[in-house]
Amino acid sequence: MFAFLTVNIALSFIILPRKHEVPEEKRWLATIDLLSMSTAIFRAELAMFLAPLALQAAISRKASLVKIIKIGAFAASTSAVLSILVDSYFWRQWPLWPELSTFGFNILKGKSADWGTSPFHTYFTAFLPKLLLSSTPLAVLGLIVDSQTRELIVAPIAFVTLIS
């Protein structure tokens, strides 16, 4: 739930026009910074959204790859240390990094199937059409009319594909 807020704020840095124009590279790096923090603290799965977005920023030269890696690594490592300190204190277990524990449970131990499984295509054929029912015509119109929308759709599609 908290990741939802930080992801929306991070994406607003690259989506919303600014009255006092902040350089594009700074806006993209701020997005990478906040998404890296959110990945380390709230949802490890955001790495599957962050990676395509960072790659897209580097390929389209919105930000340099070296700066993306530096900022992302610093934000993620600092956030992980803070998460470990705070969560270990409150859960009285040292060291505790909840997102690493979740990753280990779901991926390394293969227990994600305990939550239920669906075919690979389910997000595209069942879940997203239900969620986007009323907004689909506007989304299609946005893809046709606005080049920024076409540019920004890459990372979400990659994320849904990877998480499937």
Side-chain angles (χ1 to χ4, degrees):
M1 178 159 63
F2 294 111
F4 179 72
L5 176 66
T6 57
V7 168
N8 281 321
I9 292 170
L11 291 177
S12 76
F13 297 153
I14 56 176
I15 293 173
L16 297 177
R18 302 281 185 237
K19 290 180 184 173
H20 57 283
E21 190 60 37
V22 176
E24 190 172 39
E25 183 181 45
K26 283 189 178 185
R27 292 188 294 128
W28 276 86
L29 291 174
T31 299
I32 301 297
D33 186 24
L34 191 52
L35 287 175
S36 298
M37 185 241 9
S38 299
T39 300
I41 295 175
F42 301 123
R43 299 294 298 187
E45 296 90 342
L46 282 177
M48 291 184 281
F49 181 70
L50 176 60
L53 193 69
L55 189 62
Q56 179 182 358
I59 290 172
S60 64
R61 299 192 195 285
K62 305 280 186 191
S64 78
L65 183 60
V66 172
K67 286 183 181 177
I68 290 171
I69 291 170
K70 281 182 182 177
I71 287 195
F74 179 77
S77 59
T78 304
S79 299
V81 167
L82 288 173
S83 179
I84 290 167
L85 293 173
V86 171
D87 290 321
S88 295
Y89 173 78
F90 283 110
W91 288 95
R92 299 182 198 279
Q93 179 184 350
W94 180 261
L96 174 67
W97 182 17
E99 285 311 301
L100 183 61
S101 300
T102 303
F103 180 81
F105 178 82
N106 287 329
I107 307 301
L108 301 178
K109 293 180 182 174
K111 301 280 190 170
S112 61
D114 292 356
W115 300 102
T117 58
S118 299
F120 173 77
H121 59 81
T122 304
Y123 275 101
F124 292 105
T125 59
F127 301 148
L128 287 177
K130 286 180 187 175
L131 287 169
L132 303 175
L133 184 62
S134 62
S135 62
T136 300
L138 292 174
V140 171
L141 180 63
L143 288 171
I144 293 169
V145 175
D146 186 24
S147 62
Q148 184 184 22
T149 305
R150 287 189 299 274
E151 178 182 316
L152 293 174
I153 197 71
V154 174
I157 289 175
F159 173 71
V160 171
T161 303
L162 290 170
I163 206 162
S164 294

